[in-house]
Amino acid sequence: MVYGIGNPLIDILIQVSEEDICTLGLSKGTMHLVDSVERSRILTHCAGLPMEYRCGGSCPNTIIALASLGIDAVLGGKVGPDKEGDEYIRQLASFSFASCLARGKEATGSSIILITPDTERTMNTFLGANREFSLDDLDLDLVRNSDYFYFTGYMWDTDAQKAAILAALGACRTAGTKIIFDAADPFAVNRNRLEFLQLLDSHVDILFANREEAGILFESDSMEGCLSALKKHCDTGVIKNGRHGSVVYSNGIEYSIPIFPATALDSTGAGDMYAAGFLYGLIQGLGPREAGLCASWLAGKIVQIKGAQFSPGEFEAVRQGLEAGEWKVSG
């Protein structure tokens, strides 16, 4: 079983014009952390435009994917006492997915994703109830009974979140639960670099990072330097390098993993699906190289659709592809 704790965000997708981005004073193609006032300003400006709601958040994307692929997976986090929280839980149920989400006092976290005609995405993330996640919301029995515990660097946004994760990590060590950490975001790594290194040395069994995150974490400008540093901190780790593929390191051996040919429409969620594919492979008893190929194959599938998550029907087709060994094509 995989227990993941993360930030459930309801993605609000809105098709806008270039003029809308300029009027709102946003930097196109970037991610902004916004407060409730800025969130309301953007939504007021976009009132009347069609809006699409989807379950989102980095860790939730990975955990939902695992559950949809037939893995016993549970999501922990916090949503608000509002219609967005209701919608998030309703959509989780459509994936035949049981979660243990808590209800907070603040509004449900959201990511307002403004999509311009060139398909560029400008994200405006409001953490909301996620910032309230604390020790009281942590299911330690679930941590102890899980085979894997998964979390991301986004959980270092507040002291309450951090305290909950550190308690979970202590329980993992006692119970023998494997700990998986996804660095998640260059800004998170930059803010918490020394603490993240301490996590790697004292807790983490498997690390996921992209090339930029690894460069900040290990203070290296080269892939070789990042891999050399990774080997000093983790038994197993993955560094994703965009169109150059990825490198999986495990117990002294490096495996070069190619990308799978794909016509990319939207790269949102590629890292989340990579993590899901890798964990899926490990749980199916595959070695690190084969798990990396599963991960690359799944990431190649998600970039071919708009959005960070497959629909339930699309997940069924993806599951069948994994079981049929389509990931072996570039192996």
Side-chain angles (χ1 to χ4, degrees):
M1 182 171 67
V2 182
Y3 179 29
I5 295 179
N7 292 333
L9 299 172
I10 191 79
D11 287 344
I12 307 173
L13 288 77
I14 311 173
Q15 299 286 338
V16 300
S17 66
E18 299 282 350
E19 290 74 21
D20 289 318
I21 300 294
C22 291
T23 300
L24 288 166
L26 301 173
S27 177
K28 180 182 169 184
T30 59
M31 192 280 281
H32 314 86
L33 278 176
V34 301
D35 58 19
S36 58
V37 174
E38 178 67 359
R39 177 180 182 271
S40 295
R41 183 180 79 90
I42 295 170
L43 288 176
T44 299
H45 176 86
C46 296
L49 295 175
M51 297 185 185
E52 185 177 349
Y53 293 83
R54 296 181 185 173
C55 290
S58 181
C59 172
N61 284 337
T62 298
I63 298 301
I64 291 169
L66 284 169
S68 299
L69 295 173
I71 302 300
D72 188 5
V74 179
L75 173 64
K78 207 156 196 174
V79 295
D82 47 27
K83 64 178 183 180
E84 287 81 8
D86 294 341
E87 177 64 14
Y88 200 100
I89 291 171
R90 186 193 69 78
Q91 290 199 19
L92 284 184
S94 73
F95 291 100
S96 299
F97 180 63
S99 66
C100 58
L101 296 183
R103 290 276 194 170
K105 295 180 180 178
E106 285 195 52
T108 297
S110 63
S111 182
I112 305 170
I113 304 172
L114 306 178
I115 308 170
T116 42
D118 60 357
T119 73
E120 190 71 73
R121 292 177 165 230
T122 303
M123 300 186 184
N124 305 273
T125 301
F126 169 67
L127 290 174
N130 291 298
R131 298 176 60 84
E132 300 176 14
F133 191 88
S134 68
L135 280 166
D136 292 338
D137 304 306
L138 179 64
D139 189 331
L140 284 173
D141 286 336
L142 194 52
V143 173
R144 297 185 188 102
N145 291 324
S146 297
D147 299 292
Y148 297 92
F149 176 71
Y150 179 79
F151 73 106
T152 75
Y154 290 122
M155 295 304 290
W156 249 244
D157 283 321
T158 68
D159 289 339
Q161 290 173 304
K162 188 189 306 185
I165 295 299
L166 288 173
L169 298 184
C172 286
R173 276 290 164 247
T174 302
T177 302
K178 293 283 188 181
I179 297 168
I180 305 157
F181 175 56
D182 193 320
D185 179 77
F187 297 106
V189 178
N190 200 38
R191 290 194 305 269
N192 305 289
R193 176 180 172 271
L194 293 180
E195 288 187 74
F196 286 179
L197 285 175
Q198 290 172 358
L199 285 177
L200 296 188
D201 290 336
S202 58
H203 292 292
V204 174
D205 295 294
I206 302 173
L207 169 70
F208 291 106
N210 65 27
R211 174 65 186 81
E212 183 178 3
E213 293 155 3
I216 297 170
L217 185 61
F218 298 126
E219 293 186 321
S220 176
D221 293 328
S222 70
M223 189 69 164
E224 293 73 19
C226 289
L227 286 167
S228 178
L230 170 65
K231 295 172 185 178
K232 298 175 184 177
H233 294 281
C234 277
D235 290 333
T236 301
V238 176
I239 300 180
K240 298 162 287 183
N241 199 20
R243 62 186 178 86
H244 301 293
S246 57
V247 176
V248 173
Y249 167 77
S250 184
N251 297 312
I253 303 175
E254 291 180 20
Y255 305 91
S256 181
I257 308 298
I259 62 169
F260 280 71
T263 301
L265 293 179
D266 180 4
S267 63
T268 310
D272 303 333
M273 289 303 131
Y274 188 105
F278 192 84
L279 292 175
Y280 172 89
L282 291 184
I283 292 167
Q284 297 300 327
L286 301 177
R289 177 178 174 273
E290 290 74 20
L293 289 171
C294 287
S296 183
W297 183 87
L298 191 57
K301 289 295 182 183
I302 196 64
V303 301
Q304 297 180 58
I305 67 171
K306 291 184 179 180
Q309 196 64 265
F310 299 107
S311 68
E314 289 167 337
F315 264 124
E316 178 58 24
V318 167
R319 183 187 63 78
Q320 291 178 10
L322 282 169
E323 291 179 354
E326 291 181 13
W327 51 270
K328 297 178 183 178
V329 173
S330 292

